[in-house]
Amino acid sequence: MDDLRQKYIEAIANAADESALEDLRVQAVGKKGEVALKMRELGKMTPEERQVMGPKLNALKDEINSALAAKKSALADAALDERLRTEWLDVTLPGRGRRQGSIHPISQVTEEVAAIFADMGFSVAEGPQIESDWHNFDALNIPGHHPARAEMDTFYMHRAEGDNRPPHVLRTHTSPVQIRSMEIAGAPLRVICPGRVYRADYDQTHTPMFHQVEGLAIDKDISMANLKWVLEEFVKAFFEVDDVELRFRASHFPFTEPSAEVDIRCSWEGGQLKVGEGDDWLEILGSGMVHPKVLMAGNIDPAAWQGFAFGMGIDRIAMLKYGIPDLRAFFDSDLRWLRHYGFASLDTPTLHGGLSR
Ligand code: DAH
């Protein structure tokens, strides 16, 4: 009996975890455990022997049971201590501020432009950035030999060896979306087409990817007067001024006839741009009456329909409106720049709620 006691008391003290302890309990004091087997032997003993051995066995059983209980609670305490140690949290540390992303000025300005033109009945159309040579050039009355092709610093896509079709291009302007919109919706039509465009050019005022918005209105009796009114309304709403003066300068684009470049009156006093006053002029877009060949390329009969079109640099007007000095910074993804010039995600521009903050 002493051997038995020593064996179990020692094993219980050394048990590593609760399941080892349970195994010991079954072995020692379970129904078929060693103590139970000894109890059975009592039957074969003389009454005198039984009187001595009975209480001793019961005492041994009690002793083992209380050793098991004590070890069990010691193991539970150790487990809790271990959890408290690993799940430790310093609640006295200062809280971390929640980071919030911001809306890029280009996205914001695109939304502003869309809100203004939507109010004048224009919907938003989009086209592919990898464009067919035909949509980007030929359909816009820019044939293969035309100098405008060379001037555009076009990025050409790769063609497989032996494939002699003209390669696709990264669109050099949003004007091909004019053609796609005519193909899809026909006349009458009023759309703006904002998006990314690409040219192989890089310096302080040029990045190889930039943004334009195209405008196209086609109807039975559209004239330059409509173009002028729409652009004036746009500029007043966009720059949030009551009066603007626009200057239409005769120009040339293959896809419009006549063509005009449009400047707005402004002042640069103290390095600060003010729209609508002063003696300076700032070019903001190209425009004109849609060339009959362009209407035909879009399956629209130029004898029945006319239209105006314009193309404007979104990055450019964003720089002007929000006083952003370097174009390249737009696309550097510098978080400090984005925090400074970015917009809160709920600053959705609307005409009724106000365009900018
Ligand atoms: N596509 C021209 C460019 O990228 C801009 C332009 C000029 C668009 C006149 C037009 C337009 O729609 O009528 O330089």
Side-chain angles (χ1 to χ4, degrees):
M1 252 177 41
D2 282 341
D3 289 351
L4 215 54
R5 172 187 293 110
Q6 201 183 342
K7 173 176 158 191
Y8 281 110
I9 295 300
E10 218 167 86
I12 289 168
N14 292 331
D17 52 33
E18 276 201 49
S19 82
L21 208 56
E22 176 60 13
D23 290 344
L24 285 172
R25 189 191 67 75
V26 172
Q27 265 180 54
V29 294
K31 268 189 197 149
K32 292 177 186 165
E34 291 201 73
V35 176
L37 291 178
K38 286 266 178 263
M39 296 263 196
R40 259 178 239 164
E41 287 173 15
L42 289 176
K44 296 175 206 151
M45 293 179 191
T46 63
E48 294 75 31
E49 284 174 323
R50 206 178 298 146
Q51 256 181 7
V52 181
M53 288 305 283
K56 276 193 172 183
L57 274 172
N58 273 327
L60 175 62
K61 194 179 170 186
D62 289 347
E63 195 181 342
I64 290 176
N65 271 327
S66 57
L68 282 166
K71 182 66 180 178
K72 190 172 176 174
S73 91
L75 282 173
D77 284 352
L80 181 62
D81 282 347
E82 177 63 10
R83 244 186 92 187
L84 288 173
R85 197 180 63 75
T86 53
E87 294 177 12
W88 180 84
L89 176 74
D90 185 354
V91 294
T92 66
L93 280 175
R96 268 184 229 146
R98 222 198 277 183
R99 298 259 170 84
Q100 205 178 25
S102 61
I103 304 292
H104 195 282
I106 297 295
S107 305
Q108 186 78 5
V109 165
T110 304
E111 289 293 324
E112 293 180 17
V113 170
I116 297 168
F117 280 102
D119 200 51
M120 295 191 276
F122 287 74
S123 48
V124 174
E126 287 182 307
Q129 294 176 42
I130 297 173
E131 187 54 284
S132 75
D133 172 86
W134 187 82
H135 282 94
N136 195 80
F137 294 122
D138 300 76
L140 291 161
N141 194 31
I142 313 174
H145 55 79
H146 199 283
R149 287 209 183 201
E151 279 161 26
M152 291 264 199
D153 301 306
T154 311
F155 287 111
Y156 290 92
M157 304 299 289
H158 180 70
R159 272 266 184 241
E161 195 80 32
D163 186 341
N164 292 323
R165 290 172 301 169
H168 278 55
V169 300
L170 289 182
R171 68 177 180 198
T172 57
H173 50 180
T174 44
S175 301
V177 192
Q178 286 189 35
I179 306 297
R180 291 185 175 275
S181 301
M182 288 188 264
E183 287 172 339
I184 291 165
L189 187 62
R190 245 184 261 181
V191 285
I192 59 162
C193 325
R196 293 180 171 173
V197 300
Y198 302 84
R199 290 181 203 179
D201 206 353
Y202 187 69
D203 62 34
Q204 204 170 348
T205 53
H206 296 90
T207 49
M209 185 281 300
F210 58 106
H211 300 80
Q212 287 187 336
V213 58
E214 196 79 10
L216 176 66
I218 296 175
D219 216 317
K220 295 270 178 194
D221 51 6
I222 286 217
S223 74
M224 288 290 275
N226 301 115
L227 170 67
K228 207 173 167 203
W229 183 85
V230 163
L231 291 177
E232 273 169 2
E233 287 302 302
F234 167 74
V235 170
K236 278 193 280 186
F238 182 76
F239 289 105
E240 295 169 271
V241 291
D242 293 331
D243 234 340
V244 283
E245 203 181 328
L246 292 185
R247 182 171 75 174
F248 282 66
R249 260 183 307 108
S251 182
H252 177 264
F253 299 103
F255 28 90
T256 44
E257 182 59 39
S259 303
E261 278 173 304
V262 176
D263 308 333
I264 47 173
R265 185 184 283 284
C266 66
S267 82
W268 280 109
E269 237 160 79
Q272 187 80 22
L273 174 80
K274 286 214 180 80
V275 171
E277 57 184 67
D279 296 321
D280 283 322
W281 294 94
L282 193 89
E283 187 198 320
I284 54 163
L285 58 90
S287 65
M289 297 302 293
V290 181
H291 197 289
K293 284 191 180 170
V294 173
L295 291 172
M296 281 195 282
N299 300 322
I300 289 177
D301 178 6
W305 303 93
Q306 306 134 54
F308 68 72
F310 61 86
M312 189 160 47
I314 292 183
D315 321 74
R316 183 92 195 259
I317 60 172
M319 289 169 82
L320 292 173
K321 180 166 180 179
Y322 293 110
I324 300 168
D326 192 330
L327 175 67
R328 289 174 294 191
F330 271 111
F331 314 116
D332 282 345
S333 303
D334 183 327
L335 280 177
R336 291 160 303 176
W337 187 94
L338 289 168
R339 277 189 204 117
H340 182 79
Y341 287 110
F343 291 80
S345 54
L346 293 175
D347 273 353
T348 309
T350 59
L351 290 189
H352 55 273
L355 280 186
S356 57
R357 27 183 186 192

